[in-house]
Structures are given as C-alpha cells and as structure tokens.
Amino acid sequence: MKYSGLLAPDWTGYTSLEAMDLARIPGAQQLLLLAGRRELQARGLPGLDWSCCGIYRVRVNGGGLEAELAAEPDTGYYREPVQGFDPWSGLEELAEWLGGELAERIVNPFSWNPLTPAILRGLDMGPPGCIYYADWDVSLAFKLPPPMRASRIVKCSRSRRGETTSIDVNGFHIDVRAHRMAGGIYGLEHGDCHGYFYQGALYLEGECALELRSPYYDHKVTILYPGSLYTTRIIGSPHTIGPVPAVSVGLWRGISLASRHGLTITIGKGRVGVDVRGSLRIAASGPKATYRLLLEDLLDWRPIKAPEDGYGNTRSSGSAFTFTGWVEDSMVFSAYNPSPEPGVVDVRLPMNGSECLIEGPLGSDRIPVDGDFVRVPVPAGFIGLAYIRLRKSRLLDRIRMGRLRSR
C-alpha cells in the first residue's frame, strides 16, 4: 500500500532516522508498522515490547518487558518537517466523475470547521464574509463551509488599517501591535512578523519571536509526536522545548500552537516565549487541537471547480479525518488520531458507496457502507487511510441523492 503522499500529516520520512532517534519519538511504532517493520535494534536499550496506546507493538532488541517509552522523549525532534498536502486535484477529479454543473468554489476538506483563518494568496476573492488586505495581497476567510461542503466565490471586502489595540488569547496576552480591520478582524505586526487575529485564533508568518504573558506559575505542556501526545510539567525556572510541530500550553485554560516549519517555546513563570521562522497558528484550546492546527497549517487554500452542494459531509470526534485524494473510483481520506482516546467519523457520501477499506499500522479492515453513509472508527494512536468506493449511480439514483442532500 502506498501511504506517502496520501497521509496528512505524512510522517513516513521519519522511518529513515537512526534507531535510537526513533526510540526517542513516542508514537514512532505506528510509522514502523506502516513500513512493515516490527523489530528495532537500538544499541544502548534493553529488550522491550515497545507499545503505543496498548495497541501497536514493536519489539526492541528482541523484545522483553512492555514499555510505553523506550527512551526519554526528544523534546526537539522536529528536524525533518512534514510536507504539505494538496487535496484540490483529487477533488476536481472527483467532481468530473460525479458529473453535473461545476463552478469555482471553496471546499473544506477537513472533518471540522477550521480553527484558524484560511489564507488565499494573490486573490481578492473568497467565500462570503472574506476580507481582502491589499498591503499583503491576501484574502482572509474566517467563515468557511462545513466539512466537505462548498461555498460560492465572492469579491472580498476591502480592509484598511484602523486603531491599534492589544490582543489576548484565553488569558495569554500576546506582545504584538494589533490594528483593527473590518469584520472584527485585527491585523498583527511585530518586527518582521505579521498576521491576523479573529475570535481567539491567530495566524502569523515571518521571523517571529513573540512574548506571551501567561497567568500561570507552572504549566502543563503537551507535545505532538507522530502517533501520540506526550505531556510534561514545567515549574518555575525557564525551560526550552523545540523544535516541535505543535504544542499546547496552559493549566486550567490553555492555548495550542502549530507550525509546519517547527516552533520553539521557552516557558517560565508567567511567560511563554515563542520562536518560529515561517508560519504559526495559535488557538484557544487544549491538546486535542494541536494536530488539527498542524493540518490547517499544512494546507494552502485555493478555489477549485466543484459542484454546488459539495461532496457529502464528514463529522469527526476525537480525530482528524481529511480528504487527500481520488484513486480510481474511491475517495481517500487520511485518518489521524494521536490522542489516547478512540474517535469515530461519520461520513455522508456524495452518492451511494459500495465498500470502505481501512489501511493502518495493523493491516487492512473492511467497514460496512449503508447506502451513502459509513461510520469509520479511528482508534487511539491511529495513522492510516480510508478508501471509500463509490457506486456509479443511474440518473434516477442521482436525483434521489440530490433530494436527500438538500433536506
């Protein structure tokens, strides 16, 4: 099975790391199993049955006692950033296969409503409610269509620089200059770093060295690894973590941060320093948002030719389910859940399906499809793909499905 290029995030390149480097990455077991490797020889470690989530096991040095951590986790492991992904060509191919009238639209390939703004570069068009900022030649979309649905393209409202204020995300005050724009959006500037803020979420890009004033003396920190989340506590004196792809910081309230380029944070009493070169997304949420934020940062938005009613619908609980391709007659979704709890995804297809094949670290499994509906379980720590085959319908079936979708 070909995983590279369809997984999102695509961590498969990490399997080429040295054995000891892999042993310091929680959740690397799933990557090894996807690559067909059930054994790892790592000098300096005892024989272990290295497991993740109680499900995925790799024998280290011949096996032995069961362990969740084979070595002290590497808190600066993100030396090989994962690649972005492009679902747009697959969605356009699917649209042609489905037939019907197509037009330029914005489609949400995620199984959730994005937490941070969609950036459309070099365009003054976007979904309804978008804002065009001429200084940086981008359109900002904060109100995107529901999962797998489509929205029409309109001329974005123009925005001008307004009064300056400060911003706060879930109790964390961020040291940037913020000027009011249209629609409750703020433009952000801090040296060579600039971006946007709206309703508790922000996007920044450039060389960003930020200072966040925290309400806490000690902090709970959760780091995103390929197949799991790892939580530690930072008490008192400053401690640096990174580069990592995504992290959540807080105590009773928290924020999540993610960057496709990797970010470094320095945490001390009452402060969180953030350094990144590239893009940065921050949202008011806990650890489960970290991997969704990373996926949002891996996607470059653009309009595509799509049907008016989109491609069905998806809804996920405790996982990230993302359309990543169209292979022959099957919709391909990347399923990702590094959290310790299982998740489930409900998928409403654009027409009746015939079968759903799940490919993951433990092999393949088939899930029943009920007409145009399929419920996909996503176990804790899962990394894999769902292939959902569509059944080419007759004209009367298409009319019936169109009526059902419009209800």
Side-chain angles (χ1 to χ4, degrees):
M1 179 61 65
K2 176 182 179 293
Y3 293 99
S4 181
L6 291 173
L7 288 174
D10 185 358
W11 300 98
T12 52
Y14 274 71
T15 57
S16 63
L17 295 177
E18 296 290 335
M20 195 60 192
D21 291 332
L22 275 168
R24 296 185 64 200
I25 299 179
Q29 299 96 312
Q30 291 91 301
L31 303 181
L32 292 167
L33 292 171
L34 284 174
R37 295 169 58 184
R38 299 182 178 274
E39 303 272 348
L40 185 68
Q41 298 295 322
R43 183 177 300 176
L45 291 181
L48 298 170
D49 282 351
W50 187 28
S51 68
C52 181
C53 312
I55 304 173
Y56 312 102
R57 288 179 173 80
V58 170
R59 292 166 63 90
V60 177
N61 297 332
L65 295 173
E66 187 170 359
E68 185 176 14
L69 297 177
E72 191 69 26
D74 185 349
T75 58
Y77 77 96
Y78 197 62
R79 295 179 290 274
E80 296 186 19
V82 296
Q83 297 297 310
F85 67 101
D86 182 355
W88 312 124
S89 58
L91 285 171
E92 289 184 321
E93 290 173 8
L94 171 56
E96 292 179 4
W97 189 88
L98 291 171
E101 185 176 345
L102 305 179
E104 289 284 320
R105 306 186 193 279
I106 293 291
V107 177
N108 178 7
F110 300 123
S111 59
W112 65 92
N113 294 321
L115 303 170
T116 54
I119 312 298
L120 289 88
R121 301 184 186 279
L123 293 174
D124 61 355
M125 308 285 285
C130 62
I131 302 294
Y132 177 70
Y133 194 47
D135 286 4
W136 296 323
D137 192 23
V138 297
S139 289
L140 315 173
F142 294 87
K143 298 175 183 178
L144 290 157
M148 295 302 291
R149 309 300 286 177
S151 72
R152 59 194 177 91
I153 301 293
V154 300
K155 195 86 168 179
C156 296
S157 300
R158 298 268 169 168
S159 180
R160 295 181 178 179
R161 183 186 301 268
E163 61 185 276
T164 300
T165 183
S166 60
I167 63 168
D168 181 279
V169 179
N170 213 15
F172 289 76
H173 179 83
I174 302 179
D175 179 25
V176 294
R177 289 191 300 124
H179 53 272
R180 195 181 302 274
M181 299 167 66
I185 300 168
Y186 293 86
L188 308 178
E189 292 182 89
H190 185 75
D192 294 329
C193 180
H194 67 268
Y196 322 94
F197 172 81
Y198 179 73
Q199 293 187 348
L202 60 87
Y203 170 85
L204 292 165
E205 60 183 44
E207 294 192 15
C208 302
L210 305 176
E211 185 80 11
L212 283 63
R213 293 204 300 272
S214 164
Y216 303 119
Y217 175 84
D218 68 310
H219 296 79
K220 182 168 66 173
V221 180
T222 301
I223 304 170
L224 176 68
Y225 289 89
S228 72
L229 298 167
Y230 175 73
T231 301
T232 186
R233 296 294 283 260
I234 306 298
I235 302 173
S237 58
H239 186 86
T240 298
I241 292 173
V244 293
V247 64
S248 72
V249 182
L251 203 55
W252 317 122
R253 295 179 295 172
I255 57 174
S256 292
L257 309 93
S259 172
R260 68 166 80 182
H261 307 281
L263 60 95
T264 299
I265 60 172
T266 302
I267 304 171
K269 51 188 177 183
R271 67 175 293 270
V272 178
V274 183
D275 287 278
V276 66
R277 291 188 176 185
S279 56
L280 173 66
R281 295 176 188 266
I282 303 178
S285 53
K288 288 185 179 179
T290 55
Y291 47 96
R292 291 186 175 184
L293 278 183
L294 177 60
L295 279 163
E296 291 178 25
D297 204 48
L298 291 173
L299 181 66
D300 294 320
W301 292 83
R302 66 174 175 87
I304 62 169
K305 293 284 188 181
E308 181 179 4
D309 55 359
Y311 301 89
N313 204 346
T314 60
R315 181 177 60 186
S316 62
S317 170
S319 60
F321 203 68
T322 307
F323 179 91
T324 53
W326 171 251
V327 177
E328 295 178 352
D329 55 358
S330 296
M331 300 174 71
V332 185
F333 293 88
S334 174
Y336 183 52
N337 181 20
S339 72
E341 294 91 24
V344 65
V345 180
D346 291 338
V347 183
R348 184 69 66 181
L349 302 169
M351 62 172 52
N352 286 342
S354 60
E355 67 174 2
C356 175
L357 177 66
I358 308 297
E359 289 282 346
L362 301 182
S364 61
D365 199 4
R366 295 187 185 277
I367 304 296
V369 178
D370 183 10
D372 68 335
F373 178 79
V374 58
R375 176 162 290 166
V376 181
V378 186
F382 186 82
I383 301 174
L385 299 171
Y387 289 81
I388 305 177
R389 179 171 293 169
L390 301 183
R391 180 180 288 120
K392 194 71 170 180
S393 303
R394 294 176 301 170
L395 178 60
L396 290 178
D397 291 332
R398 292 190 186 185
I399 295 172
R400 181 180 64 84
M401 294 301 296
R403 288 175 177 170
L404 287 173
R405 289 197 297 269
S406 65
R407 290 178 184 174

